[in-house]
Amino acid sequence: MEASCSLRSSKFISTPIRPLHHPLSIASTISISVIRDPNFGSSLRLVRRKNRLSIRVSSSDTLVAGSREVVSKKEEDLGDLKSWMHKNGLPPCKVILKEKPSHNEKHRPIHYVAASEDLQAGDAAFSVPNSLVVTLERVLGNETIAELLTTNKLSELACLALYLMYEKKQGKKSFWLPYIRELDRQRGRGQLAVESPLLWSETELAYLTGSPTKAEILERAEGIKREYNELDTVWFMAGSLFQKVSLARRFALVPLGPPLLAYSSKCKAMLAAVDDAVQLVVDRPYKAGESIVVWCGPQPNSKLLINYGFVDEDNPYDRLVVEAALNTEDPQYQDKRMVAQRNGKLSVQVFHVHAGREKEAISDMLPYLRLGYVSDTSEMQSVISSLGPICPVSPCMEQAVLDQLADYFKARLAGYPTTLSEDEAMLTDSNLHPKKRVATQLVRMEKKMLNACLQVTADMIKLLPDVTVSPCPAPYAPLLN
């Protein structure tokens, strides 16, 4: 959902914006409400309204009236984004802006970039001159803002949000107004016309009950609030900060880039800096009218949902996180910590379970968990003197380790209010609410990985030489989260 490009090695790379490293800032693609208020005269104020960032000014049109979007006659007269870009230096290109209906009848359709003609892999779809790329050089070069950044009070992209709010205050005087209007039109919606869950209500967030993604969303929301509170610190400086902004080469917002471009986990096309422009070369053939996609980076579906409002059922980077920790109350904790570090692990270790590679993930966890189960001092000394992650493995220890894993996966599955089969039945409903659909897609894929892990663990238990052996007692068993 974000429209950010990070420049590394002379290439613009589409990147997610993450609080605190990304204020939903530009409120998940910069949906900023402008409201007339004669009580404020010519001043500008930031207003928090139901998780949306609003700006009160006296000189701009009302874009949001009540709960229904209003398009003013003045706005219509300004023309569309692409026309403005051509007028200001965009050379002929092979894309057009098309409309996708909104799931909410009160909102306007969203725009997306589509091929204007048949394209072949290797064709340049467009080349946006640097003069039409929004950058942060002036912001990052200011000592006051730099201090806020280096003390973690305000992220670089929060400064970009601040700059765009200042530009919006300028109204028709702002060169960037057509682009800002286009971002406002998107209302933080991605290619499925679904907002990031950072903008969902509490009721809608309940669709994600049981998923660790829900906690991550709440944590990010707190980060956004902290950064939002810092905006008042610097807002009064905006007029002097953002005059005569020149180009930077660290972060940029590219018109015709995301969120107007769709994302794909398997796509290889990326925005790239070529001479004095940002160019997109497609990696596959397109028919005229088809939506153009770019690579979204190696992100799991939880990140895709938070950042862009969608999930990819064929995502090769999808994964779950299992956090294991050595028990700090264990008298041998320091020795175990040393052995873990010697073998490239931490006292609190994160294991990634990738879709389709669950057995590999379980095999990676077992040596670490076995280490936590060692209780005999002489056995621990033997482990310390060994050159690898070797722990004495008795049938009872292996039974205990595998039982703990199985119980862990069962507990995670029990945390969801629905079963996998219920999710799959729900997704067959063509009238399912779009937010509930994308949330159900996410939790279904999480459950598939958890079920696969549970099956791998059960299969390992069956291979134990004597399944009647009681698990070894483990007063200081490692912790799984």
Side-chain angles (χ1 to χ4, degrees), residues 73-213:
K73 182 63 169 64
K74 291 181 181 179
E75 185 177 354
E76 290 178 343
D77 292 341
L78 290 174
D80 63 32
L81 173 68
K82 193 163 175 285
S83 298
W84 167 76
M85 293 178 71
H86 281 302
K87 182 180 177 181
N88 289 280
L90 177 69
C93 57
K94 299 177 181 179
V95 299
I96 55 174
L97 289 181
K98 298 188 70 175
E99 287 190 350
K100 181 178 296 186
S102 173
H103 299 302
N104 188 332
E105 63 179 11
K106 296 176 181 178
H107 298 160
R108 287 182 290 167
I110 64 172
H111 283 154
Y112 65 94
V113 173
S116 60
E117 59 188 77
D118 290 353
L119 299 177
Q120 299 300 319
D123 286 349
F126 60 73
S127 182
V128 179
N130 284 348
S131 59
L132 291 174
V133 176
V134 188
T135 59
L136 284 168
E137 183 181 46
R138 176 77 167 121
V139 175
L140 298 178
N142 178 274
E143 291 182 3
T144 305
I145 295 294
E147 181 181 356
L148 287 168
L149 296 176
T150 56
T151 56
N152 291 323
K153 290 183 179 179
L154 203 62
S155 73
E156 296 170 4
L157 287 161
C159 291
L160 176 57
L162 189 64
Y163 167 66
L164 289 178
M165 287 188 286
Y166 169 75
E167 284 295 312
K168 187 163 185 175
K169 172 182 179 280
Q170 307 309 307
K172 285 190 175 182
K173 296 179 182 179
S174 172
F175 173 76
W176 300 107
L177 182 60
Y179 183 39
I180 294 171
R181 284 175 44 246
E182 185 62 46
L183 292 171
D184 275 344
R185 181 191 183 106
Q186 298 298 109
R187 298 181 67 92
R189 296 171 291 180
Q191 60 182 296
L192 298 181
V194 173
E195 297 90 341
S196 160
L198 288 165
L199 299 174
W200 292 7
S201 67
E202 288 186 15
T203 301
E204 291 164 340
L205 283 177
Y207 301 152
L208 294 168
T209 297
S211 171
T213 305

Side-chain angles (χ1 to χ4, degrees), residues 343-379:
N343 289 281
K345 298 291 190 289
L346 303 173
S347 57
V348 178
Q349 179 64 39
V350 171
F351 294 93
H352 290 134
V353 180
H354 293 269
R357 293 158 52 191
E358 290 84 2
K359 185 174 183 179
E360 177 183 326
I362 298 297
S363 297
D364 190 33
M365 295 179 205
L366 287 177
Y368 186 90
L369 297 177
R370 289 169 185 149
L371 175 63
Y373 273 81
V374 174
S375 57
D376 184 87
T377 304
S378 61
E379 287 183 348

